[in-house]
Amino acid sequence: MKIGIVCYPTYGGSGVVATELGKALASKGHQIHFISYALPMRLDGFQGDIYYHEVEMASYPLFEFPLYTPALASKMVEVARFEKLDLIHAHYAVPHATSAYLAREILDNGIKIVTTLHGTDITLVGLEPSFLPVMKFSIEQSDGVTAVSRFLKEKTLTNYGIEKEIRVIPNFVDIEKYKRIECDEVREKFAPRGERILVHTSNFRAVKRVTDVIRIFHEVRKSIPSKLILAGDGPDRSNCEILVRELGLKDEVRFLGKQHDLVPILSASDLFLMPSQSESFGLSALEAMSCGVPVISSSVGGLPELQVHGQTGYIAEFGDVIRMAKYATELLSNDQRYRMFARAARARAEEFECHKIVNRYEEYYQECLVAEHA
Ligand code: GMT
């Protein structure tokens, strides 16, 4: 198949899923054309059947705001025509599903559109009155729609009053790449006195509640000698830096900023913290679990579809910092239970192994290609 993949290139789960999916599909013989305004973060290294097309943005004194939606649609039309695409897969509905709809109408050549709903495109941004009618329309017009969890599917059906069939295809992980490796050097660097290491990775947006991560760590430290590693960057980073100083944790918390290779960091870690306010799946928790790291998370969104409470980690109500800290402390205090949890986390991650899930996307594409336009 010749597939156009549209995604955000930035540090975020939807771009990661789109890029890893494209790479996996290319390795199975499909021709993949990424379309975005910048090179997707994980699209590194040369791979024969992968192409990248950058969306150019015209500027004109009349335009106070960038006009990305039509520019993206025009690029989709160009790529689809020149490369004879069979299908365009839009990741994150806002505004990609709308641009894809426009492109399909212009092309009028039988090309199909699949939209994958990732999270805040449905739970937050898409619900803005300034977007909602366009989002509902664009999702309904897609030839196929997938959601990364049952939670997100239900939210879409109820919040938008959509009656369309939505296929749940969860996030996935490359279990050969995301596995625990020897990382004594990393441990030595971050925790020279053998302290336990807690870790969190995200794009530091408000929904991730990174300040809760710091507060949980503050509680855990009261009884367990430990360090906290924070990887990633985003709008809440400054608040977090301030809180760390206010709590007197400057020497105990390391802010690493954006990182390309998380495997050594996850491999050196003992617990992953994800106290999010909203999380449709929790890809970074899955990557941690694949490295054998148990997770303490909130109970929001799709997290209970990934995490098994009392086996792969613990789940507590969002905002309940004390309970999460208690769970973390208990787990880190019991070596035998900890080892069981670490094994269970890896075993659970194996259920989301890359090839299994990529096959499900491939099958879905085939179904959409043969189906009549809705
Ligand atoms: O919805 C978002 O916040 C954006 C998106 C991203 O690009 O970071 O994250 C979502 O998509 C990921 C991949 O499908 C999911 O694993 C994340 O749970 C989800 N984030 C939220 O729902 C907050």
Side-chain angles (χ1 to χ4, degrees):
M1 269 180 265
K2 292 184 171 186
I3 303 160
I5 294 187
V6 182
C7 65
Y8 282 105
T10 42
Y11 199 75
S14 63
V16 170
V17 169
T19 312
E20 297 297 349
L21 174 62
K23 292 200 285 197
L25 288 166
S27 71
K28 296 183 80 179
H30 299 287
Q31 195 182 90
I32 304 298
H33 294 266
F34 282 98
I35 306 174
S36 191
Y37 59 80
L39 189 71
M41 196 193 57
R42 287 213 190 164
L43 198 55
D44 42 3
F46 174 75
Q47 201 175 329
D49 260 334
I50 294 185
Y51 301 80
Y52 165 60
H53 308 265
E54 196 153 296
V55 181
E56 290 123 38
M57 294 289 297
S59 69
Y60 189 67
L62 271 183
F63 305 157
E64 195 178 340
F65 305 106
L67 296 174
Y68 187 59
T69 307
L72 175 61
S74 296
K75 183 56 84 178
M76 286 182 195
V77 170
E78 178 192 306
V79 176
R81 274 201 187 124
F82 288 166
E83 305 294 346
K84 302 196 171 20
L85 297 185
D86 300 300
L87 183 141
I88 291 175
H89 189 167
H91 287 264
Y92 201 87
V94 189
H96 300 154
T98 310
S99 300
Y101 162 75
L102 258 177
R104 189 190 64 198
E105 293 305 294
I106 296 165
L107 286 160
D108 193 23
N109 63 357
I111 191 167
K112 300 291 172 148
I113 301 167
V114 171
T115 297
T116 289
L117 311 171
H118 280 275
T120 50
D121 46 353
I122 291 302
T123 56
L124 202 69
V125 189
L127 287 174
E128 293 281 333
S130 53
F131 288 135
L132 196 141
V134 176
M135 273 313 110
K136 175 173 158 59
F137 177 82
S138 308
I139 293 166
E140 281 173 340
Q141 288 295 320
S142 294
D143 299 289
V145 180
T146 77
V148 299
S149 59
R150 292 192 297 278
F151 157 82
L152 194 61
K153 172 180 171 170
E154 290 312 316
K155 274 276 165 227
T156 311
L157 297 177
T158 51
N159 287 357
Y160 295 78
I162 287 175
E163 283 173 14
K164 202 177 176 65
E165 192 240 312
I166 296 178
R167 181 77 52 94
V168 175
I169 305 184
N171 288 176
F172 55 87
V173 64
D174 179 347
I175 58 169
E176 293 309 321
K177 182 172 172 210
Y178 282 83
K179 61 179 180 204
R180 211 164 181 86
I181 54 168
E182 280 304 317
C183 54
D184 293 348
E185 264 178 47
V186 184
R187 262 196 179 272
E188 181 64 26
K189 187 147 198 64
F190 293 128
R193 286 180 208 85
E195 297 94 333
R196 309 308 291 269
I197 298 180
L198 283 69
V199 68
H200 169 83
T201 69
S202 77
N203 44 20
F204 283 61
R205 279 176 298 155
V207 289
K208 301 290 175 184
R209 303 275 294 205
V210 190
T211 47
D212 280 6
V213 171
I214 295 163
R215 291 184 199 283
I216 295 166
F217 172 69
H218 186 228
E219 289 301 315
V220 172
R221 267 202 88 246
K222 289 179 182 167
S223 48
I224 308 251
S226 45
K227 299 279 181 182
L228 174 64
I229 299 179
L230 295 169
D233 212 328
D236 264 4
R237 164 115 179 232
S238 299
N239 282 342
C240 292
E241 298 255 15
I242 292 167
L243 181 64
V244 162
R245 279 160 182 77
E246 277 173 6
L247 294 174
L249 296 172
K250 197 176 107 13
D251 296 329
E252 325 304 330
V253 180
R254 281 286 293 270
F255 287 87
L256 299 182
K258 291 179 184 173
Q259 295 289 317
H260 275 296
D261 186 8
L262 288 169
V263 175
I265 298 160
L266 293 171
S267 296
S269 301
D270 297 299
L271 261 191
F272 188 88
L273 302 178
M274 185 174 254
S276 305
Q277 178 170 0
S278 167
E279 201 68 65
S280 64
F281 183 87
L283 178 62
S284 44
L286 172 61
E287 290 179 341
M289 288 159 70
S290 190
C291 292
V293 185
V295 175
I296 306 290
S297 78
S298 64
S299 56
V300 300
L303 284 171
E305 294 175 46
L306 168 66
Q307 265 256 73
V308 188
H309 179 72
Q311 285 181 29
T312 64
Y314 289 109
I315 297 175
E317 216 163 289
F318 131 74
D320 196 343
V321 166
I322 298 299
R323 184 168 292 271
M324 289 188 214
K326 192 168 158 277
Y327 282 143
T329 307
E330 276 172 17
L331 193 52
L332 293 174
S333 311
N334 183 331
D335 283 347
Q336 199 186 352
R337 187 183 306 164
Y338 179 83
R339 279 194 295 276
M340 268 168 52
F341 274 53
R343 275 197 299 274
R346 169 69 189 187
R348 178 75 179 138
E350 286 171 3
E351 294 174 33
F352 299 89
E353 187 267 326
C354 175
H355 294 102
K356 276 187 219 164
I357 309 293
V358 170
N359 286 346
R360 286 167 63 178
Y361 275 113
E362 231 180 342
E363 283 160 19
Y364 192 56
Y365 291 163
Q366 294 291 0
E367 284 176 40
C368 292
L369 284 173
V370 298
E372 285 301 310
H373 172 45

